[in-house]
Amino acid sequence: MRDKTSRGKMDRGVSLLLSIIVVFFVLGTVVVSVARKISAEMSASAIQNLSESLDLIQCTIEAILRNEAEFQKLVAQEIAKAENPEEYICTYEKNKIMVKMSLILSGETEGVSNTGEAFSEAELDFSAGGTVEGLAVSQSYLNYMGTWAYSMKCPVVKEGQEIGMLYVEYVYDTLDDSLPDGFYNKQAMLYIMDSESERFVLKPKGMGKRSAGHLNLEDFYRANSIEDQELRQQVMNCLEEGKNILFYHDIREEDALNYMWSVNDGTIYLIGYVPIEAIQQEGRAVNQSILIVVIFMLVAFFLCCILYYFNQRQQIKIRKEREIEREIHNRQLAEALRVAQIANNSKTTFLSNMSHDIRTPMNAVLGFTTLLSMDVDNPAKVREYTKKIMASGQHLLSLINDILDVSKIESGKVVLSYEMFTLSDVVASVDAIIQPMAKARHQNFSVEVTGVQHEYLMGDETRVNQILINLLSNAVKYTPEGGNIWFRIIGLKQRSSQYEHIRIEVEDNGYGMTPEYLETIFDAFTRAENSTTNKVQGTGLGMAITKNIVELMGGTIEVSSQVNKGSLFRVELEFRIPEGQVDKQFWEKNGISRMLAVDTDEETCKNIQMLMQDTGVLTDIALSSQEAIRLIEESSQKGAPYEMILLEWKIPDLDDRQMALEIRRLLPEASILFLAEIDAEGMEAALTMENTEILTKPFFVSGLREKVLGMHAEQGAKTVPASGEETSLEGLRFLAAEDNEINAEILTEILDIEGAFCEVVENGQLVLERFQDALEGQFDAILMDVQMPVMNGYDATRAIRALKREDARTIPIIAMTANAFAEDEKAALAAGMNAHVAKPIDIELLKRVIRQCTGEREK
């Protein structure tokens, strides 16, 4: 038995040895074939690497030239601001890069230099036509220090007029420090040549032997025996066309790859060669590295075989370890069970809270419905009961919406919609909601926007509005009557040039919160509990939703509060700045190039200047009426009067109307816009003047733009008040798809009260068939449910839009569905519907949407 076991082990050992030998043989064959293939491929790859290296050097030189040109433009701007440009030049100290700076004023042939000598453009040759960032570049020349140099000239423009030409001399030696130190182990040769004169102006350090330098292209040809006329002609064609060329040619009886590489559109060239031996050397080095790696792999394989033998002896130990793992796994299962039980308890707590919060408004609905049936003959009580039923129903709907929002956020189903929006729209929409709430409680609501550099941003405007309304509505509810609420948007230092960093602050001097409640304020179903706040209705979900949305947007939220002193919420968010240029043509077309902002608050003035800096409109500021009058008079005397005046309402040191009249006397044609709060009073008299308007604070460029458009469009016209019949539905005929009998009855009754006719069918298939059978124009609009049997609303809409009749493409189709999320609205619009109204139906909203859709159709 032992002999059989021994022979079995010997057979396994021989098989293992043979396997190792076969593996070694196969790997050796693969290594030899791969090495040969790599040798061939590395030569081709080296040529590609040479091209990429030359491209890198080209980009480096061009970047240096661009930096010099940009710096020269900045110097030209500084000269334009200087009171004595020539004195500025003479006192400018030369440096390693700019060895000489000269200025020739307009109308003169000679100028001054910072070296103290007279200067004339006749000393330079700009005939080659080369440019860098729009600045002309001269032909290369030897300067007074005996160094090859070149000059760029840049116009000096002051107030739109050219007052002179700035010339700056640069030496090629400055390029040396930015180029690579060595090229193919210093075996390659590299020169920089001026393409117009074909003179070699620089041989960078580490690029071949210094003693083997050449003076010009002809000298390079002669020294390297490049006598083929056809090849020379190809080189000349490349020089004329500004293209690159690579060609093989023996250099000192050694195979080499020659190159001529265009820089800055062919104004200068990189010229040189690389020995083929240097190129192939990289391939050999790679083959050696591969061979070493393979040897290590073989050694590792052999070691693995040895380890395999020892591994067999460890099987018993492994089995024991597996048993230990099973025990650990069992403990983990027990822990998972405990977590599941905690989750189940949380579910029970959730349902308990929901039962209380839902039953409260539901009890009101049922109770007042009972009272309504008893007092049906009393119109006053009927109106009171229905009003309270409506309020309780709205409260119940808001609770359901909050629960659905929390559910979607926690399940990860919320998707942010990244679209461009403006801060002015956000502030206006929030102000339109919060301002009436604050006024109803006699509260002071202030809005401030400071330090924001970009008002056009990318983000989810709907979710931003949700954050702001949650915070501000809480501030209104938990602040007593006559209190103060501050809403601030503050621009912070940008962490990246592509993102605007914004802080949102909502502060009030209301009831405040205890330190204990602050620890749980962002948990679901938590509310401050005291005798005052218990009277305020709420779901306890608003802050949890707000925190989740802020974190979903990558931001942070924090709160500080003191009881009976108030609370302060801070939200920090970053929004991507959309790409694109400011539309400067708008201001030019509307004749606005200079503007004066008059406001006693210096921060407000600076904010206006910052926001207007990219529009091309020169914006001056004045902090008092005297300063404003002085600036207006000075600008008029200079022949550059202001076209627009932004005037703060209620300037302390002067009557606003008198100020406006004085400005109108000095600037008869200028537009005057009063900067005022939304609820500013007493402006009627000032607005009776020609070409005056109100621009509400805070200031936004988009708001100013819309006001300019409105003033130009409505100048001389009076706004016609809207008719009270605008939202009337009388005489309209509707086709409705609704599978719920109660909903269908409610819809029919509501439209009947409004004087409209409605025909209801049960599903999408029936509404499609009814529309096909109807005469053109028989129905004014289709009210479409979404979730229906046989055919849903989306498919029915697509089928109607596909019908071959004219009104199939134009008849308004309005979605009326309980699917109330943003993605549901997008799905309705994508199917071809014109609008989306969520259930339960808000009749006033439905009337506005129907009138809007049918009105657009009539147009």
Side-chain angles (χ1 to χ4, degrees):
M1 188 67 179
R2 290 181 179 177
D3 292 339
K4 290 182 180 180
T5 304
S6 300
R7 282 197 298 271
K9 292 182 179 179
M10 184 178 296
D11 291 340
R12 288 196 297 271
V14 171
S15 300
L16 182 60
L17 180 60
L18 291 175
S19 300
I20 293 173
I21 294 173
V22 170
V23 170
F24 270 71
F25 178 80
V26 171
L27 287 177
T29 304
V30 171
V31 169
V32 172
S33 61
V34 169
R36 290 178 179 177
K37 183 178 180 181
I38 288 177
S39 297
E41 291 178 350
M42 283 301 294
S43 296
S45 177
I47 297 175
Q48 178 66 25
N49 291 339
L50 173 60
S51 300
E52 294 175 355
S53 298
L54 293 172
D55 284 337
L56 180 60
I57 296 175
Q58 169 199 345
C59 293
T60 301
I61 295 175
E62 289 178 348
I64 294 172
L65 295 176
R66 286 195 299 270
N67 288 338
E68 292 173 347
E70 292 294 337
F71 183 74
Q72 188 166 340
K73 290 179 181 179
L74 293 175
V75 174
Q77 294 176 5
E78 292 297 323
I79 294 174
K81 298 177 182 177
E83 294 183 359
N84 190 335
E86 292 185 335
E87 182 180 352
Y88 183 94
I89 291 295
C90 293
T91 57
Y92 199 98
E93 295 183 5
K94 66 179 182 178
N95 52 48
K96 185 177 179 182
I97 299 175
M98 301 170 59
V99 298
K100 182 178 179 181
M101 181 183 295
S102 307
L103 175 68
I104 299 178
L105 297 177
S106 297
E108 298 180 7
T109 58
E110 287 190 352
V112 297
S113 300
N114 63 342
T115 57
E117 58 188 14
F119 174 82
S120 173
E121 185 177 337
E123 302 173 6
L124 304 173
D125 183 4
F126 290 93
S127 60
T131 62
V132 177
E133 294 294 310
L135 303 187
V137 183
S138 73
Q139 182 177 322
S140 302
Y141 56 89
L142 284 170
N143 62 10
Y144 70 95
M145 296 185 297
T147 302
W148 282 103
Y150 60 95
S151 292
M152 286 192 283
K153 62 180 181 179
C154 173
V156 180
V157 179
K158 184 174 184 179
E159 297 182 354
Q161 294 183 351
E162 183 178 319
I163 64 171
M165 190 68 68
L166 174 66
Y167 300 81
V168 178
E169 178 179 289
Y170 306 90
V171 293
Y172 281 99
D173 287 345
T174 59
L175 301 178
D176 206 349
D177 295 333
S178 300
L179 297 179
D181 186 11
F183 205 27
Y184 281 89
N185 294 326
K186 300 186 178 182
Q187 297 182 55
M189 184 69 72
L190 171 67
Y191 294 96
I192 297 179
M193 181 187 78
D194 180 81
S195 60
E196 185 68 20
S197 62
E198 298 184 357
R199 294 296 301 260
F200 289 1
V201 296
L202 178 66
K203 181 179 182 185
K205 61 181 180 295
M207 302 297 184
K209 298 179 180 179
R210 289 274 179 174
S211 60
H214 304 296
L215 300 178
N216 53 37
L217 183 60
E218 186 62 32
D219 184 30
F220 182 84
Y221 285 157
R222 184 172 55 255
N224 297 303
S225 302
I226 302 177
E227 299 174 355
D228 187 345
Q229 293 302 318
E230 183 178 352
L231 179 58
R232 286 193 176 196
Q233 186 59 43
Q234 293 180 6
V235 173
M236 292 305 299
N237 292 339
C238 289
L239 285 175
E240 293 174 358
E241 297 173 5
K243 295 182 178 179
N244 305 328
I245 186 173
L246 290 169
F247 59 92
Y248 288 96
H249 186 78
D250 293 347
I251 304 296
R252 298 188 184 91
E253 299 181 353
E254 185 179 9
D255 292 339
L257 180 61
N258 296 257
Y259 59 85
M260 299 187 68
W261 219 253
S262 169
V263 179
N264 195 36
D265 296 328
T267 57
I268 59 177
Y269 266 81
L270 304 175
I271 295 180
Y273 59 84
V274 181
I276 299 299
E277 179 68 18
I279 295 176
Q280 294 178 342
Q281 183 177 355
E282 294 183 3
R284 287 195 297 272
V286 172
N287 285 336
Q288 290 174 359
S289 299
I290 292 176
L291 182 60
I292 293 173
V293 171
V294 170
I295 291 174
F296 274 104
M297 288 177 61
L298 293 174
V299 171
F301 178 78
F302 183 76
L303 291 175
C304 287
C305 293
I306 296 176
L307 292 174
Y308 174 77
Y309 170 76
F310 288 102
N311 183 58
Q312 296 299 317
R313 302 177 60 181
Q314 300 296 323
Q315 291 301 318
I316 297 176
K317 183 178 180 180
I318 290 175
R319 292 191 194 98
K320 293 181 179 180
E321 291 176 350
R322 286 179 179 174
E323 292 176 358
I324 295 174
E325 289 177 358
R326 288 192 192 98
E327 293 178 1
I328 295 174
H329 182 65
N330 290 336
R331 286 197 297 269
Q332 291 174 343
L333 289 176
E335 179 65 20
L337 177 61
R338 188 182 68 83
V339 171
Q341 290 173 341
I342 293 174
N344 187 58
N345 293 335
S346 299
K347 175 184 175 182
T348 302
T349 302
F350 170 81
L351 292 175
S352 175
N353 288 332
M354 287 311 305
S355 175
H356 173 269
D357 285 344
I358 290 178
R359 285 175 184 273
T360 300
M362 183 59 70
N363 180 64
V365 170
L366 297 177
F368 283 115
T369 303
T370 302
L371 293 175
L372 186 64
S373 64
M374 296 178 180
D375 296 320
V376 68
D377 296 327
N378 188 335
K381 289 191 175 183
V382 167
R383 284 192 294 271
E384 180 184 356
Y385 294 157
T386 53
K387 182 179 179 181
K388 292 180 179 179
I389 290 172
M390 178 66 72
S392 297
Q394 291 292 342
H395 175 55
L396 181 61
L397 179 60
S398 68
L399 175 61
I400 293 172
N401 286 337
D402 284 347
I403 294 169
L404 295 176
D405 250 348
V406 168
S407 176
K408 291 193 69 178
I409 291 171
E410 293 183 348
S411 63
K413 293 182 180 180
V414 170
V415 179
L416 297 177
S417 176
Y418 287 94
E419 298 176 349
M420 188 169 71
F421 68 94
T422 65
L423 280 179
S424 60
D425 289 343
V426 171
V427 172
S429 62
V430 171
D431 190 80
I433 295 172
I434 301 301
Q435 194 73 249
M437 295 171 59
K439 284 185 177 180
R441 294 173 59 85
H442 307 290
Q443 296 167 340
N444 298 316
F445 178 54
S446 302
V447 181
E448 300 175 16
V449 179
T450 57
V452 179
Q453 300 183 33
H454 303 86
E455 59 177 284
Y456 288 90
L457 303 170
M458 297 295 294
D460 193 327
E461 182 179 4
T462 302
R463 293 299 182 180
V464 173
N465 279 333
Q466 188 175 1
I467 292 171
L468 296 179
I469 291 172
N470 278 349
L471 295 176
L472 288 168
S473 62
N474 275 354
V476 171
K477 288 189 293 185
Y478 292 101
T479 300
E481 291 194 6
N484 297 300
I485 299 168
W486 296 271
F487 170 36
R488 309 183 190 96
I489 297 180
I490 305 169
L492 303 180
K493 182 179 179 181
Q494 293 177 250
R495 298 188 180 104
S496 167
S497 60
Q498 296 179 339
Y499 288 86
E500 182 78 22
H501 189 191
I502 289 177
R503 174 185 293 162
I504 298 168
E505 292 187 352
V506 174
E507 185 177 3
D508 63 69
N509 60 352
Y511 304 128
M513 294 171 281
T514 63
E516 294 77 15
Y517 177 65
L518 287 177
E519 296 179 1
T520 61
I521 184 173
F522 295 115
D523 295 340
F525 299 102
T526 58
R527 295 179 56 209
E529 298 292 339
N530 59 56
S531 59
T532 302
T533 60
N534 283 347
K535 299 177 183 178
V536 180
Q537 285 190 342
T539 64
L541 293 173
M543 287 298 99
I545 293 173
T546 299
K547 184 175 187 294
N548 283 329
I549 294 175
V550 169
E551 292 178 348
L552 190 64
M553 299 173 74
T556 60
I557 182 171
E558 58 183 28
V559 58
S560 59
S561 181
Q562 293 186 31
V563 176
N564 296 326
K565 290 187 178 181
S567 304
L568 172 60
F569 286 85
R570 284 195 180 96
V571 176
E572 289 194 15
L573 296 169
E574 286 188 306
F575 297 99
R576 188 173 184 86
I577 301 169
E579 298 179 358
Q581 299 296 323
V582 177
D583 184 10
K584 297 183 179 180
Q585 294 182 352
F586 169 81
W587 306 99
E588 296 174 359
K589 290 178 181 177
N590 287 277
I592 301 173
S593 60
R594 292 173 62 84
M595 182 176 78
L596 176 64
V598 186
D599 199 302
T600 54
D601 184 15
E602 184 177 2
E603 188 174 359
T604 299
C605 290
K606 289 183 177 179
N607 189 58
I608 295 174
Q609 267 190 326
M610 179 176 63
L611 290 174
M612 291 295 295
Q613 64 185 357
D614 292 332
T615 64
V617 178
L618 179 63
T619 305
D620 293 330
I621 61 175
L623 302 179
S624 66
S625 57
Q626 294 86 353
E627 185 181 4
I629 297 299
R630 179 180 60 79
L631 290 175
I632 292 172
E633 292 176 344
E634 289 179 357
S635 64
S636 299
Q637 291 172 1
K638 293 179 181 178
Y642 297 110
E643 293 91 3
M644 178 171 287
I645 306 295
L646 302 183
L647 180 62
E648 178 192 12
W649 181 246
K650 296 297 182 186
I651 296 179
D653 60 345
L654 190 66
D655 178 77
D656 300 286
R657 177 171 170 79
Q658 294 300 322
M659 179 68 178
L661 290 172
E662 180 65 15
I663 293 174
R664 177 63 69 226
R665 184 184 68 79
L666 296 174
L667 298 173
E669 303 298 327
S671 301
I672 301 177
L673 277 78
F674 289 105
L675 287 169
E677 302 291 343
I678 290 179
D679 55 352
E681 298 178 354
M683 302 188 66
E684 294 77 7
L687 292 178
T688 57
M689 294 190 304
E690 290 290 333
N691 207 11
T692 59
E693 259 295 353
I694 299 174
L695 184 64
T696 57
K697 290 184 178 182
F699 174 84
F700 287 105
V701 177
S702 57
L704 177 60
R705 179 187 174 117
E706 291 177 5
K707 189 63 66 175
V708 170
L709 287 173
M711 291 177 70
H712 286 192
E714 299 176 8
Q715 194 168 15
K718 294 183 178 180
T719 303
V720 179
S723 171
E725 299 179 357
E726 184 180 358
T727 57
S728 174
L729 304 180
E730 187 171 357
L732 297 181
R733 298 178 61 85
F734 298 97
L735 175 61
E738 176 59 71
D739 63 326
N740 185 285
E741 293 183 5
I742 296 178
N743 290 343
E745 182 180 354
I746 293 173
L747 178 62
T748 303
E749 290 296 330
I750 289 175
L751 293 178
D752 183 59
I753 292 172
E754 294 294 326
F757 171 78
C758 181
E759 181 177 337
V760 181
V761 294
E762 295 179 357
N763 56 61
Q765 181 65 39
L766 293 177
V767 81
L768 172 62
E769 295 173 356
R770 181 66 184 92
F771 181 75
Q772 285 178 307
D773 296 337
L775 297 176
E776 187 169 338
Q778 181 175 347
F779 294 106
D780 295 289
I782 299 175
L783 307 179
M784 185 76 73
D785 193 9
V786 172
Q787 293 184 354
M788 295 181 292
V790 184
M791 178 183 287
N792 63 42
Y794 299 143
D795 294 338
T797 300
R798 296 188 185 96
I800 291 173
R801 295 300 189 203
L803 293 176
K804 295 181 179 179
R805 50 187 287 179
E806 185 63 29
D807 60 342
R809 293 186 296 274
T810 59
I811 186 170
I813 302 178
I814 302 170
M816 292 199 312
T817 172
N819 299 336
F821 292 113
E823 49 266 36
D824 300 316
E825 182 176 357
K826 290 181 179 178
L829 297 178
M833 300 186 191
N834 298 80
H836 176 279
V837 178
K839 292 179 181 178
I841 298 299
D842 182 336
I843 183 58
E844 293 300 326
L845 174 61
L846 177 61
K847 287 164 61 177
R848 288 198 299 271
V849 171
I850 290 175
R851 174 51 61 188
Q852 181 181 359
C853 293
T854 55
E856 290 176 356
R857 185 188 181 199
E858 292 169 1
K859 295 177 184 177

